[in-house]
Amino acid sequence: MMWPLLNSSSRSHRQVAAKKGKKALGDKAKGGGAGRTPGLGRVNGHHQENGIENMTLFEVVKLGKSATQSVVDDWIEAYKHDRDIALLDLINFFIQCSGCKGAVSPEMFRHMQNSEIIRKMTEEFDEDSGDYPLTMSGPQWKKFRISFCDFIAVLVRQCQYSIIYDEYMMDTVISLLTGLSDSQVRAFRHTSTLAAMKLMTALVNVALNLSINMDNTQRQYEAERNKVVAKRANDRLELLLQKRKELQENQDEIENMMNAIFKGVFVHRYRDAIADIRAVCIEEIGVWMKLYSDAFLNDSYLKYVGWTMHDKQGEVRLKCLTALQGLFYSRELGARLELFTSRFKDRIVSMTLDKEYDVAVQAVKLLTLVLQSSDEVLTAEDCESIYHLVYSAHRPIAVSAGEFLFKKLFSHRDPEEEGLPRRGRQSLNGSLIKTTLHEHGAYLVDSLWDCASELLKDWETMISLLLDEPVSGEEALTDRQETALVEIMLCAIRQACECHPPVGRGTGKRVLSAKEKKTQLDDRTRITEMFAVALPLLLAKYCVDIDKVTNLLQIPKYFDLDIYTTGRLEKHLDALLRQIWEVQDKHTDTEVLEACSTTYHALCNEEFTIFNRVDIARSQLFDELVDKFNRLLEDFLQEGEEPDEDDAYQIVIHAMQCTHYIILWHLAKVSDGSSLKGDMLTLRKQMRAFCLMCQRYLNSINNAVKEQAFTILCDLLMIFSHQIMSSGREQLESLVYTPDSSLQADLLNFILDQVFIDQDDDSNSTDGQQDEEASKIEALHKRRNLLAAYCKLIIYNVVEMNTGADIFKQYMRYYNDYGDIIKETLSKTRQIDKVQCAKTLVLSLQALFNEMLSELGFNVDRSTSAFCGIKELARRFSLTFGLDQLKTREAIAMLHKDGIEFAFKEPSPQGQGSPPLNLAFLDILSEFSSKLIRQDRRSVHMYLERFMTVQMALQREDCWLPLISYRNSLQAGGDDDTMSVISGISSRGSTRSKKSKPATSSKRKLPEEENSCSSTDAVWMNREQNVQTPVMMHSPHLTSTVLRDPKKMRPEDSYTTAFTMPTEQNSHQHVPPQQQPHPHHQAAIDYNTQVTWMLTQRQQAEARQQQDRVSMHYAKMRNHMQQAIRRGSGLMEDDEEPIVEDVMMSSEDRLEDINEGMDFDTIDIDLPASKNRRERTELKPDYFDPSSIMDDSVLNVSMF
């Protein structure tokens, strides 16, 4: 079927038009002006004014130099003059917008069918690049997409009153886009789908206008008919009837067009293999349902959005949510989504935890709209799951969840409640208190700040709630609610004064605008004026409450201290100072005392006039504390009573802490240069004596004392390390303290005994289970801090790096608890010294291996979990070296050296002939073989053979498999087939080369490669001029090296050929395999001749293989397009491969590339597609039966 030839009556018109078309095309080729037909790319008016002639419609839209309205008007004029030529230009416009270099000729337009034209365009498509206009980057192509969509919308709008009903233009365009949307070429499919969807949207607008006109006409007809007979105009009634009939016919025509696009394009492309195409379909169907809800807002169309919410790609799921948001914005439309909401509500709720942050944000916003439309849809469990998101580290999610929380709590407040600030605001604060979890009030306030900042800034009401008595009929706040309200109040003050999110939520401080800065200053002034009066009263009321006092004492640091003077509030300052004294006098809690200290620090600012007043109060407090301490100490010593054990330990802990602070104060004094000459010597003696004392306390029986001593030691060792001389402080060199081996051992033993321990899993307890869990978390946090303190000593080279071996070996076992700390330590140590770090890793593996031997005995079973665990740890260590082998070359070589030495270090306890005790360690060491470069593989192999004997090379028992596998790992991946042979040669240089042609400047000769060993070769190889390994190897069999690739050789073959037993007489002679059974008839063949022959054969084989590969590649590139079009159902789309692809997914393997678990009941599209599409005459009647479209499991699929 021809595109333009819709019926036989138009054939004569086509023949006449073709003649005109030839002339027009001829004029186009000549580039003539006056005689040309106005039309696409050949306009006489607008384009000529801009100096643009003979431009195609694609070029005009791409440049964007002409208004879309003018371009469309010019095309319409051309269509009216000759519709075939205009349509041909429009067809080529869509072809060119797809990135195709080909064009549809008039002959193709007249005589070829859909499938033939598309196949022809596919063959002419440029497959060198996968880019096409819709996917190209840059502002020009972004504008092109907009212009492309606008062109289609304006084209339909300008043609809506005449041309689109001529049964020619729209049928041709729809037929073209439907055929292209079935193409296996991604560019065709994507571009035509976008065009078809935008065309559908434009038709929906036309249908909506027709519907409105029909309603108006019907009302006019009814009004005229209801008039009395004398006043009724029959002519007008007939005109209205005729107009309504025409409108109905047009409406039916538009509906047929929309139905053709929907069933021909949308139904197939909304589940395309390409996410962009699926996203276009879902985005547009949302527009249709919103624009023309009477026709599209029903289950027949909503089901596609519901199903696609399970899409594997986040951008498609995002389009589903934004489409639904457009519907729920309207309460009227939202009320019609009751069935859909009940069916897919659970899926939307689960998407709030989507792995894509943008999707999660839009899911929460959608649920907020659902909540506004109906308060009964979401259950308490649904709302509770969203409440928790206010504590999310991702701020957009937290803000959207905060808006949901605000709407849920305050969307149904009574109007009269607005005038009762205390009552209404108490409801606010009471509700927020119920949602406060743990101690994350700062995150809750930040989440609510954008939507509820006015209420959160109502500090006056908050103060009233805390200080005033409740009115009659009002419920008083509980103690827990008061604590939460104080926390929320403090967090709101902090948010208003600092104007940035709390730690962990946001990238840093942003630059405030002038308006934001003014708001910040105004808020700070309000806070100071209000709390300068109220804070002393609040402290007096909650003086004995630790949590409330700790939060209240943080408020003064946000004050504008000038207001105390300008506002004449000095008496309130005195009251605040008195309350601070009362608080410190009544509390011994560390947090409260630190809060008091912070408050004094904030108020004692020399820049403000209140400094003297606060400084006097602080000095008086110090004097009173010193007098009180001396008095109590004297009483304690005079009483003569021995303290109990717990008190004694507490005294020791505080004494160590005080001594630590004294040393730091003395150091600060010495560093300032204000000390006397003997002060530095005194400090040095005190510091060293104190470190010895703390070292003795590491062996205390009390854990608290040991932890305190360890923490102080780590701090002192860091402070008094060699870095104390940095920044021009060389005069402090005498204070540098380096821990001796005994102190390092004590610190390490403490870590091993106190940190790397298993927690007791007591799952049977029911009472206080949450408290136990919290205590476990706190204990883990303490152990992590202890480990981090010790790891800092390793990183800053305070203790020996090899002490980290006992830390690194715990990486797998304690990965969940300390994996991040150990991994970071490993990374830092490698940056300091790669070789020493590698040696430390080997030490850790050796320690684990020795522990395994002590537990399991000498006979190592490599299938045990202990051995597999060590091997897995080695694999993890190997991955940390990265991909750049040159940077880690020396370290890896040294690692293999130490590993080989360890493997052969201990002889077998079973005597001669048995493998060495640690030989199985070579199997672990093989995990690092892939990190060796080719030259170092040979060097390591030669070093390994130093430790081997002839008998070892001939062994094939299972106990020798580690040696065999390790040698194989050193030989794998290299181009050297004669590695074992070269290691047995004397000082002769190698005569091998990769290619027979001379080496160029870009490639080194192989003898140079052999002589360019790693820098570690000179360190640990110590080769003599005549290298002779313990294994005196015979020349290899010719067949084994020429006819077999070393990667494919069996271990038995590789080792039997490389280690043939030599004789003393002819150790330098080659023994051909056919003569080997008769050693006394062996012929002497020169070794260099053998190697030359082998390499010649090998080079010829490589040359033949290379020629075959080139031929195959050329043939593949030449016939790729024809083969790709006819690919079977197994072809999947890959963005990096050529753009030709199979777009339908008919097997389970392909389902993973679109929707998880979906099994759609559909047909596979193959060119031509028009015949198959006729069979799909109607949709499934049961729109919400999942079994009719997809697998039952799809609705329960979790996207994360």
Side-chain angles (χ1 to χ4, degrees), residues 455-468:
L455 294 178
L456 290 172
K457 290 181 183 180
D458 192 3
W459 298 296
E460 183 178 2
T461 301
M462 296 181 185
I463 294 172
S464 177
L465 286 169
L466 293 171
L467 293 178
D468 298 344

Side-chain angles (χ1 to χ4, degrees), residues 740-752:
D740 55 17
S741 58
S742 63
L743 178 55
Q744 295 187 35
D746 289 340
L747 292 172
L748 180 58
N749 291 332
F750 174 85
I751 286 294
L752 297 179

Side-chain angles (χ1 to χ4, degrees), residues 616-658:
I616 293 173
R618 183 179 60 175
S619 300
Q620 292 175 350
L621 176 61
F622 286 164
D623 294 339
E624 291 181 10
L625 290 176
V626 171
D627 292 341
K628 186 175 182 180
F629 175 77
N630 291 331
R631 188 171 57 255
L632 292 175
L633 180 61
E634 184 178 354
D635 294 342
F636 175 76
L637 295 176
Q638 288 180 355
E639 288 178 358
E641 294 182 3
E642 291 292 333
D644 58 19
E645 190 174 341
D646 293 337
D647 291 339
Y649 289 140
Q650 289 299 317
I651 292 172
V652 171
I653 291 174
H654 290 299
M656 285 193 296
Q657 203 166 15
C658 291

Side-chain angles (χ1 to χ4, degrees), residues 255-312:
E255 289 180 356
N256 289 335
M257 298 177 191
M258 292 190 300
N259 189 56
I261 296 175
F262 186 81
K263 292 185 177 181
V265 180
F266 178 90
V267 170
H268 298 278
R269 297 281 71 78
Y270 90 98
R271 51 190 174 83
D272 193 277
I274 306 302
D276 290 339
I277 298 177
R278 304 197 300 272
V280 166
C281 294
I282 297 302
E283 181 179 14
E284 293 305 314
I285 196 175
V287 175
W288 308 337
M289 290 186 288
K290 185 178 180 180
L291 286 177
Y292 198 2
S293 58
D294 292 340
F296 289 95
L297 191 58
N298 54 61
D299 300 338
S300 302
Y301 299 97
L302 282 169
K303 62 181 181 180
Y304 296 105
V305 180
W307 292 336
T308 315
M309 283 194 295
H310 296 275
D311 196 279
K312 195 173 182 179

Side-chain angles (χ1 to χ4, degrees), residues 839-1001:
K839 294 172 74 71
T840 305
L841 293 182
V842 173
L843 282 177
S844 64
L845 296 174
Q846 292 172 2
L848 289 175
F849 189 84
N850 288 330
E851 292 175 4
M852 180 190 66
L853 290 181
S854 62
E855 293 178 3
L856 303 180
F858 299 146
N859 295 325
V860 178
D861 184 1
R862 294 186 299 155
S863 63
T864 60
S865 59
F867 187 87
C868 294
I870 302 175
K871 192 173 176 65
E872 174 63 18
L873 179 62
R875 188 186 70 83
R876 297 284 186 95
F877 285 163
S878 175
L879 294 176
T880 61
F881 282 94
L883 300 177
D884 193 341
Q885 293 178 322
L886 293 178
K887 288 184 178 180
T888 60
R889 179 181 183 184
E890 186 177 357
I892 291 294
M894 186 61 67
L895 184 147
H896 280 274
K897 170 189 175 294
D898 290 355
I900 292 172
E901 292 176 352
F902 175 77
F904 292 92
K905 181 179 180 180
E906 298 292 338
S908 174
Q910 299 176 359
Q912 191 74 15
S914 299
L917 179 62
N918 301 331
L919 187 68
F921 189 79
L922 292 179
D923 196 8
I924 299 171
L925 195 61
S926 63
E927 295 291 339
F928 299 92
S929 297
S930 60
K931 299 299 179 181
L932 287 167
I933 64 175
R934 184 164 56 85
Q935 296 96 316
D936 291 346
R937 287 175 186 264
R938 291 196 297 269
S939 300
V940 171
H941 191 274
M942 293 170 66
Y943 191 75
L944 172 67
E945 291 177 346
R946 287 188 174 190
F947 296 87
M948 294 173 55
T949 63
V950 176
Q951 289 76 15
M952 290 182 184
L954 298 176
Q955 297 297 332
R956 294 296 175 267
E957 290 82 2
D958 290 344
C959 58
W960 293 94
L961 286 180
L963 176 60
I964 298 174
S965 62
Y966 181 58
R967 296 185 67 202
N968 284 339
S969 68
L970 295 177
Q971 292 176 334
D975 296 330
D976 190 359
D977 288 337
T978 59
M979 181 184 299
S980 299
V981 178
I982 299 301
S983 64
I985 304 176
S986 60
S987 59
R988 294 192 303 261
S990 173
T991 59
R992 297 171 299 156
S993 67
K994 287 185 178 179
K995 298 184 182 294
S996 57
K997 62 182 181 180
T1000 61
S1001 59

Side-chain angles (χ1 to χ4, degrees), residues 255-537:
E255 289 180 356
N256 289 335
M257 298 177 191
M258 292 190 300
N259 189 56
I261 296 175
F262 186 81
K263 292 185 177 181
V265 180
F266 178 90
V267 170
H268 298 278
R269 297 281 71 78
Y270 90 98
R271 51 190 174 83
D272 193 277
I274 306 302
D276 290 339
I277 298 177
R278 304 197 300 272
V280 166
C281 294
I282 297 302
E283 181 179 14
E284 293 305 314
I285 196 175
V287 175
W288 308 337
M289 290 186 288
K290 185 178 180 180
L291 286 177
Y292 198 2
S293 58
D294 292 340
F296 289 95
L297 191 58
N298 54 61
D299 300 338
S300 302
Y301 299 97
L302 282 169
K303 62 181 181 180
Y304 296 105
V305 180
W307 292 336
T308 315
M309 283 194 295
H310 296 275
D311 196 279
K312 195 173 182 179
Q313 297 298 322
E315 59 180 306
V316 182
R317 301 195 298 274
L318 185 64
K319 293 297 182 182
C320 295
L321 295 173
T322 53
L324 292 173
Q325 287 177 13
L327 303 178
F328 278 101
Y329 270 121
S330 171
R331 286 185 175 271
E332 179 183 356
L333 298 181
R336 297 165 59 181
L337 295 169
E338 181 178 356
L339 179 59
F340 174 85
T341 306
S342 62
R343 180 67 183 82
F344 292 101
K345 182 255 299 181
D346 292 339
R347 173 58 186 155
I348 300 174
V349 172
S350 69
M351 293 173 76
T352 60
L353 299 176
D354 198 280
K355 62 183 179 180
E356 301 288 344
Y357 286 139
D358 293 340
V359 177
V361 169
Q362 297 305 323
V364 177
K365 289 184 177 180
L366 176 59
L367 290 173
T368 304
L369 295 174
V370 172
L371 180 67
Q372 290 178 317
S373 64
S374 176
D375 195 28
E376 300 177 354
V377 176
L378 299 177
T379 63
E381 292 77 10
D382 297 334
C383 295
E384 191 68 25
S385 64
I386 302 173
Y387 294 160
H388 288 274
L389 295 177
V390 298
Y391 303 110
S392 171
H394 190 256
R395 192 171 190 273
I397 294 178
V399 170
S400 59
E403 184 180 1
F404 178 89
L405 173 63
F406 183 73
K407 299 289 185 183
K408 177 64 177 177
L409 297 180
F410 311 110
S411 58
H412 300 293
R413 289 202 328 201
D414 296 331
E416 60 271 12
E417 208 170 286
E418 297 294 335
L420 299 175
R422 190 170 190 279
R423 178 65 176 169
R425 305 299 161 63
Q426 183 179 11
S427 175
L428 164 67
N429 294 312
S431 301
L432 289 180
I433 289 165
K434 295 177 182 178
T435 61
T436 303
L437 303 176
H438 308 297
E439 297 180 356
H440 303 306
Y443 294 91
L444 174 63
V445 169
D446 181 60
S447 302
L448 292 167
W449 195 254
D450 292 349
C451 61
S453 60
E454 182 181 354
L455 294 178
L456 290 172
K457 290 181 183 180
D458 192 3
W459 298 296
E460 183 178 2
T461 301
M462 296 181 185
I463 294 172
S464 177
L465 286 169
L466 293 171
L467 293 178
D468 298 344
E469 294 295 328
V471 297
S472 60
E474 186 178 48
E475 185 179 353
L477 296 179
T478 64
D479 180 71
R480 178 181 175 276
Q481 291 175 336
E482 288 178 339
T483 302
L485 180 56
V486 170
E487 183 183 1
I488 291 174
M489 182 172 64
L490 171 64
C491 295
I493 292 171
R494 186 205 66 79
Q495 188 86 5
C497 293
E498 295 184 354
C499 294
H500 65 79
V503 177
R505 183 184 285 179
T507 57
K509 294 183 179 179
R510 60 185 181 87
V511 179
L512 301 179
S513 63
K515 182 179 180 181
E516 290 174 332
K517 289 181 179 179
K518 184 178 184 304
T519 303
Q520 182 187 29
L521 293 175
D522 294 342
D523 289 340
R524 193 174 184 186
T525 302
R526 262 186 74 229
I527 290 168
T528 307
E529 294 174 346
M530 196 174 301
F531 284 93
V533 178
L535 186 57
L537 301 176

